[in-house]
Amino acid sequence: MLSVPRPAPRTRAGLGRRLVLWAMGLQLIASGCDATQGRARQRDAETETETRGAASPARYRATQEVVNDHALEFMRAEGNKEIVGMSLALVDEDEVAWATGWGQADVDAKLRASPRTVYDVGSVTKVITVAAVLQAVEAGSLRLDAPLSELLPELHLDAGAEAEITLEDLLTHQSGLPSDWFFHSLSTDPPPFPELVQEIQGVPLAAPPRTRTLYSNLGMSLAGLALARATGHDYETQVTESLLRPAGMRTAHFVGGPEPQAVRLPSYEGPRGAGGLAGIERAAAYRHGEARTNPQFRLSPAGGMRASVLDLAAFARLVLGRGRVDGRTLLSPESVDAMLSPHNLELPLDLGHSFGYAWFLDRHEFDWLGSVASHGGRTFYHHAVLIILPEHGLAVAVAANSLGAGEAVETLAAEALLMAVYEKHGLESPGGAPPPEPDAPTKKRVRAFLRAHGGDYATSIGLSTITEKDGAPWSRSRVGHNELQLLPADDTVNSSGLDAAVIESMPGAVLRFLERDERALMAIERDGRLHRAAVRLDAPAKIPEAWRARAGRWEQLRQPGEVSTIREPTIEVSGGRLRLSFLGLLEEPPLPVVLVLEPIDDRTARIAGLARGQGSLIEVRGEGERERIWWSGRELGR
């Protein structure tokens, strides 16, 4: 199966039908007492919501009904074992229009999920880090064009790359630094994250700076360290005092940083509204409904914040207010505009993906609405997403406490915004024109297609091969196989004169094959917009015997407290290529990943591809029985 961006939520197909039903006065409710209890839980959560200038309950009633109905569908799925608790906050201009929760924040503590439930929000932290860095730039403490060699003088990367990488490169993910640093990345007791400066001495880049956007937790962490160095405060204190508390993010906090502001917790054992202890509502973590210990994400500036959806809503209000919230100016409008402006339009390999300062600026379900800014995040078990529609004054934050909740979080966020746009402005997605129907191509056309585009491709989850099966072109990978159905002759070319195809697993999308910057790319086209999905690999080169001798099962060598996100790492030679395969444990069920390694010499190889995690070097350290595979701070042994 091809690795492609996450499919559009079900809202795109079902939104029109739901709106028609609403307009006819029909209520979209779940059957029986489950729905009644769900609405009661919703009302309870709304009662507990703390907002500034909360909107009238009559507003966004259709949004509330439809999203609540859909949330309950997710909660009931698989016997309600996949998702234990979720929370949502919808922002309209300078107010929280609706906030609620479903399920349980902590089953053992009998704590229901509410808008005040605090989750690990993972990489959503990056947009917070960027805002705090821009505050320091406005204050004159930092310069966007300052090189890493000036910001962190003790840092020395391979080939002197620290002199080429600027602070702005870190904020836009154009530094070329490896995507991750796995040493204690998730851990029950991680070392202080500033120690990574010494750990990454001599690390080679995964790509030359400013040649493509390469998402990097490591790069954003160095930006946070530069902020701390420039302001004279540790990262957690600086961000909390300059941004979180002034923006009204009362319970947002970092491990080891200033304590969150306690709120009055409701009593769940007595009458509604009875007193409770002052504290925060902390979400537990679950897999298949069973409690787990959610490990700490070590790299605080890249993903270490804990926050409620109301905290994220406060930040969204700051962005919608162009730097001003609750009468306070925390950022200039120019800085907010810079965050939400694309900085990669001249990078040919990015092909249609638009990135600001940390923010993702394209999501195909919102393309018809103008500008969009979003960022998702997760740790091991928690998920979160924040999406803002600046031109419509709307934003949504959703979070959940279960490993299998990723689809639900993304779907509810998109559905809430699409419904809110309809209720606020009367706008409904026009829907894209369906792609042309495929035909039954001749053997000659199939052979021509395979000659032009057959071979191995590096996708975001590794190797995919386009080859022939039963007289038709197929895409084959560890996660599945799909037939590529060629479009009729009049529809098989785009503006570049290249072939196109469709597959059943991507309704409404067309696969295009084109070249950019001397690389053969596979792209996904939706509604006339192209996005890179894969890059074709060069023909296999001869594999050194030293690497062939390393074929077999390996294991990750973990430090005390370190939590692995992979299982069953294996080196193999297949199809003339050296491969590293493993199961990725951040998906449910675990995701099979196959990375292609391109040997440089007997002891180093590069991970092929252009996506996150690719381009990094894999090194061999030690000799004989003590030989180790070293990979961005992750170590494998026999």
Side-chain angles (χ1 to χ4, degrees):
M1 180 182 295
L2 297 172
S3 172
V4 301
R6 183 183 295 276
R10 283 179 277 177
T11 53
R12 184 135 190 172
L15 181 60
R17 177 182 62 83
R18 291 172 182 258
L19 291 175
V20 170
L21 291 176
W22 178 263
M24 294 172 59
L26 300 178
Q27 294 183 345
L28 296 174
I29 59 175
S31 60
C33 62
D34 285 345
T36 302
Q37 294 170 355
R39 288 193 295 274
R41 288 196 298 270
Q42 176 183 329
R43 288 194 297 272
D44 288 344
E46 291 170 354
T47 301
E48 296 156 12
T49 299
E50 294 183 355
T51 68
R52 295 176 176 83
S56 165
R59 293 180 57 194
Y60 296 108
R61 184 59 66 190
T63 300
Q64 295 181 39
E65 285 282 353
V66 170
V67 174
N68 185 66
D69 176 64
H70 205 168
L72 293 177
E73 291 178 14
F74 276 117
M75 299 295 291
R76 286 195 298 267
E78 302 295 331
N80 199 24
K81 290 184 178 181
E82 291 299 325
I83 305 173
V84 176
M86 294 189 292
S87 302
L88 177 149
L90 176 68
V91 175
D92 183 356
E93 304 293 351
D94 194 36
E95 63 183 21
V96 177
W98 176 45
T100 190
W102 301 274
Q104 302 291 311
D106 189 322
V107 175
D108 291 340
K110 299 180 181 178
L111 184 66
R112 290 197 292 271
S114 85
R116 296 185 307 193
T117 299
V118 173
Y119 300 86
D120 293 2
V121 299
S123 288
V124 178
T125 309
K126 290 180 175 67
V127 299
I128 302 296
T129 297
V130 163
V133 167
L134 292 178
Q135 284 183 317
V137 170
E138 290 183 10
S141 302
L142 284 171
R143 301 190 336 270
L144 290 172
D145 63 354
L148 262 179
S149 56
E150 176 184 320
L151 299 169
L152 302 170
E154 71 276 28
L155 176 61
H156 300 287
L157 303 173
D158 182 56
E162 67 277 2
E164 300 297 322
I165 298 170
T166 67
L167 177 60
E168 185 172 44
D169 294 334
L170 301 177
L171 304 187
T172 59
H173 294 298
Q174 293 180 29
S175 67
L177 285 162
S179 295
D180 295 287
W181 186 249
F182 295 117
F183 184 73
H184 273 290
S185 177
L186 287 169
S187 178
T188 57
D189 186 26
F193 89 87
E195 292 182 7
L196 73 88
V197 172
Q198 296 304 317
E199 297 166 7
I200 66 171
Q201 295 291 331
V203 164
L205 297 186
R210 296 174 294 282
T211 57
R212 72 175 189 264
T213 301
L214 184 61
Y215 189 91
S216 178
N217 283 327
L218 179 55
M220 195 60 66
S221 299
L222 294 180
L225 285 173
L227 172 67
R229 189 70 57 85
T231 60
H233 301 286
D234 61 80
Y235 165 83
E236 295 85 355
T237 298
Q238 176 64 27
V239 172
T240 302
E241 294 182 352
S242 72
L243 182 62
L244 300 186
R245 297 299 174 263
M249 302 174 69
R250 296 176 57 189
T251 55
H253 66 282
F254 298 88
V255 174
E259 290 295 317
Q261 293 181 352
V263 296
R264 193 74 169 170
L265 298 183
S267 171
Y268 294 103
E269 300 299 331
R272 170 60 54 197
L277 299 176
I280 64 169
E281 301 180 6
R282 170 72 175 144
Y286 297 92
R287 179 178 184 269
H288 296 322
E290 297 181 358
R292 295 286 192 270
T293 298
N294 202 29
Q296 181 182 340
F297 189 78
R298 179 194 180 195
L299 303 182
S300 289
M305 189 172 72
R306 296 174 172 178
S308 69
V309 293
L310 288 179
D311 291 323
L312 298 182
F315 184 70
R317 291 171 58 232
L318 172 70
V319 174
L320 290 173
R322 299 189 69 207
R324 187 171 176 82
V325 64
D326 294 333
R328 295 181 175 181
T329 298
L330 303 181
L331 279 171
S332 70
E334 292 76 17
S335 289
V336 175
D337 290 346
M339 281 197 299
L340 304 185
S341 297
H343 295 276
N344 67 320
L345 297 183
E346 297 181 358
L347 302 180
L349 290 177
D350 281 3
L351 191 62
H353 290 288
S354 184
F355 296 93
Y357 288 153
W359 289 96
F360 291 77
L361 301 181
D362 55 73
R363 289 178 65 110
H364 68 84
E365 63 264 53
F366 299 113
D367 283 345
W368 61 283
L369 285 170
S371 60
V372 58
S374 70
H375 213 297
R378 66 168 306 170
T379 52
F380 206 114
Y381 299 104
H382 286 194
H383 297 260
V385 67
L386 176 63
I387 310 175
I388 300 177
L389 299 179
E391 296 173 22
H392 300 274
L394 292 168
V396 69
V398 185
N401 62 359
S402 308
L403 176 63
E407 179 188 357
V409 165
E410 293 284 340
T411 299
L412 293 181
E415 185 166 68
L417 276 183
L418 291 171
M419 286 292 301
V421 165
Y422 176 80
E423 288 200 82
K424 183 175 182 178
H425 298 300
L427 299 176
E428 183 180 357
S429 171
E437 291 294 326
D439 65 1
T442 64
K443 292 182 179 180
K444 181 178 179 180
R445 279 193 61 205
V446 170
R447 288 195 296 268
F449 177 88
L450 291 171
R451 281 197 303 271
H453 310 301
D456 293 337
Y457 288 77
T459 77
S460 61
I461 58 170
L463 183 65
S464 175
T465 300
I466 292 180
T467 186
E468 182 178 358
K469 176 186 175 184
D470 299 328
W474 280 70
S475 169
R476 304 169 66 86
S477 73
R478 279 280 300 275
V479 296
H481 309 322
N482 285 280
E483 182 180 355
L484 304 185
Q485 299 174 312
L486 301 186
L487 297 184
D490 291 342
D491 298 303
T492 56
V493 295
N494 58 16
S495 59
S496 300
L498 298 173
D499 287 301
V502 295
I503 60 177
E504 291 184 1
S505 61
M506 290 193 301
V510 175
L511 295 182
R512 301 286 188 186
F513 298 83
L514 63 162
E515 291 189 4
R516 289 290 189 274
D517 203 24
E518 300 182 352
R519 305 296 294 271
L521 304 180
M522 181 193 305
I524 297 171
E525 180 183 66
R526 285 190 177 94
D527 301 329
R529 294 173 180 249
L530 287 169
H531 297 283
R532 189 189 74 219
V535 58
R536 189 167 66 179
L537 302 177
D538 294 334
K542 182 179 180 180
I543 300 173
E545 289 302 320
W547 277 106
R548 289 181 176 275
R550 297 180 184 114
R553 180 68 59 84
W554 293 69
E555 64 175 343
Q556 183 174 353
L557 305 178
R558 290 179 285 172
Q559 303 296 319
E562 193 174 33
V563 177
S564 178
T565 58
I566 67 171
R567 190 175 70 207
E568 301 175 13
T570 302
I571 292 178
E572 58 187 346
V573 176
S574 179
R577 295 194 185 277
L578 183 66
R579 307 181 184 190
L580 171 63
S581 63
F582 54 84
L583 292 177
L585 303 182
L586 290 178
E587 301 295 333
E588 185 60 35
L591 181 70
V593 177
V594 180
L595 301 178
V596 173
L597 305 186
E598 297 178 333
I600 297 172
D601 54 36
D602 285 353
R603 300 181 68 84
T604 58
R606 189 175 297 277
I607 301 174
L610 302 176
R612 176 176 176 173
Q614 297 171 352
S616 299
L617 286 187
I618 291 199
E619 303 176 27
V620 177
R621 299 182 175 182
E623 302 288 345
E625 295 182 356
R626 299 183 62 83
E627 193 173 80
R628 301 288 185 262
I629 302 293
W630 187 90
W631 166 26
S632 294
R634 176 181 278 158
E635 197 171 31
L636 307 179
R638 290 285 190 180

